[in-house]
């Protein structure tokens, strides 16, 4: 039984392709976005050599945008069983792969080429029986549209059941340091837990995305949480060179959470999300090295009025008024910003 770490883009998509290629009996794939040609080819090749392949894809974003259509067609044409994810959830954002019911990969990344080549992302490989069984059980329940309850003793972190509590407990247990990589810091309960951590002396290092990557309607809470934490002494930076897509938390250099969960209410309350907590020394050691490297090559995120205005005027000019950054609010703005900068929706949060 082991757990290991895949780091993107450093390790490329090859370890995932290799894992698929090693399948002898079955593949269960649950994915928010699936479009990478290499991974598509690997899955189709598995189907063609007699592996029972089932793929569950999120049908559409909240905006109604359908993104998995071509891949779905290619998979179905090759005889792969494909289903929409469970309609009980607004969005299925979980990104998991189970091979032969024996090994599972819990990802922060989608199976998109950019997540393999341009974004900081992670996947944890586990062969721990109880963890693999839980992912299988949830997959089968979602496939059959049945309720899945991981129970009080759940080994994994699931939304929308135990997610917020488990993340809150993880933060509460930190004694010296917390290093977070996430696109969004919007959940009030989590912000409160981070505030309390800083007040008991935990050093907080936060990597976030530049603010204009947030949707117009989410900017206020996104900025607010980070500003509060920064005021309390947390260091808030943005990544240089790579885009940040990871959802990773590292506590005291000893424990980590990796998965699909953004620290936002929607993720905890209405989406299917999955994350895994790890404390294996080799995994933590590598994670710490990557996180240290990312931090050393990062820049402070300018959350001052001037910094935010400069960022937003370039990208989301109509949103600045919502943050009370300007003296002459013009109420007509927010809505148009969303449409005009639809481009940012696609980068946001997934």
């Amino acid at each position: 039984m082991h757990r290991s770490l895949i780091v993107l883009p450093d390790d490329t998509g090859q370890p995932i392709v290799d894992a698929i290629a090693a399948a002898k009996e079955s593949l269960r794939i649950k994915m928010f976005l699936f479009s990478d040609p290499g991974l598509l080819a690997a899955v189709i090749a598995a189907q063609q050599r007699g592996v029972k392949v089932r793929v569950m894809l999120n049908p559409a974003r909240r905006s109604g945008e359908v993104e998995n259509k071509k891949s779905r067609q290619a998979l179905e044409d090759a005889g792969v069983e494909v289903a929409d994810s469970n309609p009980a959830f607004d969005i299925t954002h979980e990104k998991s792969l189970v091979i032969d019911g024996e090994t599972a990969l819990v990802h922060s990344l989608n199976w998109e080429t950019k997540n393999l080549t341009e974004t900081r992302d992670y996947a944890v490989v586990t062969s721990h029986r109880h963890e693999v069984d839980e992912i299988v059980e949830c997959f089968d329940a979602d496939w059959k549209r049945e309720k899945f309850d991981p129970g009080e003793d759940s080994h994994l972190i699931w939304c929308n059941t135990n997610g917020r509590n488990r993340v809150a407990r993880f933060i509460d247990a930190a004694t010296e340091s917390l290093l977070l990589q996430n696109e969004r810091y919007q959940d009030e309960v989590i912000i409160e837990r981070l505030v309390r951590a800083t007040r008991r002396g935990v050093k907080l290092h936060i990597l976030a995305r530049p603010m204009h990557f947030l949707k117009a309607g989410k900017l206020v809470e996104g900025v607010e949480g980070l500003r509060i934490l920064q005021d309390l002494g947390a260091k808030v930076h943005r990544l240089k060179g790579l885009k940040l897509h990871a959802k990773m938390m590292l506590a005291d250099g000893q424990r980590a959470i990796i998965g699909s969960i953004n620290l936002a209410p929607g993720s905890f309350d209405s989406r299917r999300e999955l994350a895994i907590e790890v404390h294996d020394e080799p995994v933590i050691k590598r994670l710490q090295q990557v996180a240290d490297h990312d931090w050393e090559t990062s820049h402070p995120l300018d959350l001052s009025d001037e910094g935010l205005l400069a960022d937003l005027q370039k990208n989301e000019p109509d949103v600045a008024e919502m943050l009370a950054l300007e003296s002459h609010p013009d109420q007509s703005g927010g809505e148009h910003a969303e449409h005009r900068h639809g481009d940012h929706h696609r980068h946001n949060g997934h």
Side-chain angles (χ1 to χ4, degrees), residues 234-251:
K235 291 188 164 52
V236 183
H237 283 206
R238 63 185 177 86
L239 210 46
K240 188 186 172 194
L242 290 174
K243 292 187 181 116
L244 180 66
H245 182 261
K247 298 97 176 59
M248 188 275 282
M249 311 176 82
L250 180 60

Side-chain angles (χ1 to χ4, degrees), residues 318-332:
D318 297 335
V319 172
E321 86 240 8
M322 294 165 64
L323 288 160
L325 300 178
E326 289 183 309
S327 48
H328 305 294
D330 159 20
Q331 293 311 322
S332 66

Side-chain angles (χ1 to χ4, degrees), residues 134-145:
E134 234 170 80
I135 298 170
V136 165
E137 195 188 324
C138 181
F139 183 97
D140 292 351
D142 281 349
W143 186 270
K144 296 178 197 150
R145 311 300 195 227

Side-chain angles (χ1 to χ4, degrees), residues 52-314:
K52 178 180 164 65
V53 181
R54 287 188 289 164
V55 178
M56 215 180 306
L57 296 173
N58 186 68
R61 293 194 177 233
R62 275 175 314 182
S63 61
E65 193 178 352
V66 177
E67 286 164 304
N68 291 314
K69 216 171 180 173
K70 275 189 193 156
S71 308
R72 183 176 186 143
Q73 195 61 57
L75 291 164
E76 285 176 342
D77 289 350
V80 174
E81 277 190 85
V82 186
D84 281 347
S85 48
N86 190 341
F89 301 93
D90 287 355
I91 281 176
T92 288
H93 195 233
E94 176 186 341
K95 310 148 198 308
S96 63
L97 162 68
V98 183
I99 300 125
D100 297 338
E102 297 290 333
T103 308
L105 278 74
V106 177
H107 305 55
S108 71
L109 63 135
N110 293 301
W111 283 6
E112 283 193 293
T113 307
K114 71 172 184 186
N115 281 168
L116 302 171
T117 56
E118 297 171 26
T119 63
R120 171 61 75 223
D121 262 305
Y122 306 97
V124 173
V125 184
T126 177
S127 65
H128 282 255
R129 187 73 264 158
H130 47 266
E131 291 171 347
V132 177
D133 286 349
E134 234 170 80
I135 298 170
V136 165
E137 195 188 324
C138 181
F139 183 97
D140 292 351
D142 281 349
W143 186 270
K144 296 178 197 150
R145 311 300 195 227
E146 291 169 2
K147 196 167 163 49
F148 164 72
D149 179 7
E152 285 301 298
D153 305 319
S154 165
H155 295 280
L156 297 169
I157 301 168
W158 294 99
C159 298
N160 60 356
T161 47
N162 64 13
R164 188 183 273 109
N165 284 346
R166 287 286 301 274
V167 172
R169 287 213 300 266
F170 179 90
I171 294 167
D172 290 348
T175 55
E176 290 168 23
S177 64
L178 272 169
L179 198 150
L180 276 57
Q181 296 185 344
N182 206 295
E183 291 179 89
R184 310 215 231 151
Y185 299 84
Q186 296 165 320
D187 188 75
E188 289 182 3
V189 175
I190 301 305
I191 296 291
E192 180 205 3
R193 291 322 229 275
L194 291 170
V195 164
R196 288 178 177 199
T198 60
R199 301 211 28 198
R200 64 174 185 271
V202 175
K203 284 196 176 65
L204 208 53
H205 286 78
I206 294 174
L207 270 183
R209 295 190 78 169
M211 285 302 126
H212 64 264
F213 279 105
L214 292 173
K215 289 181 192 162
K218 302 290 182 190
L219 261 157
V220 179
E221 63 214 66
V223 170
E224 179 184 54
L226 288 174
R227 277 183 150 183
I228 289 168
L229 291 166
Q230 198 178 53
D231 286 349
L232 287 167
K235 291 188 164 52
V236 183
H237 283 206
R238 63 185 177 86
L239 210 46
K240 188 186 172 194
L242 290 174
K243 292 187 181 116
L244 180 66
H245 182 261
K247 298 97 176 59
M248 188 275 282
M249 311 176 82
L250 180 60
D252 301 329
Q254 292 175 338
R255 308 172 291 125
I257 287 178
I258 287 171
S260 68
I261 304 172
N262 286 308
L263 302 177
S267 297
F268 289 118
D269 296 328
S270 57
R271 296 181 171 194
R272 167 68 81 214
E273 306 266 15
L274 169 64
I276 184 168
E277 187 171 336
V278 289
H279 42 75
D280 315 58
E281 209 175 323
V283 172
I284 296 296
K285 195 175 169 190
R286 174 130 198 247
L287 208 46
Q288 186 77 56
Q289 286 167 346
V290 174
D292 288 346
H293 166 80
D294 285 352
W295 191 258
E296 281 156 23
T297 54
S298 68
H299 294 305
L301 189 56
D302 188 350
L303 296 174
S304 68
D305 282 15
E306 299 74 28
L308 288 169
L309 275 171
D311 182 19
L312 295 171
Q313 270 167 350
K314 208 163 56 207

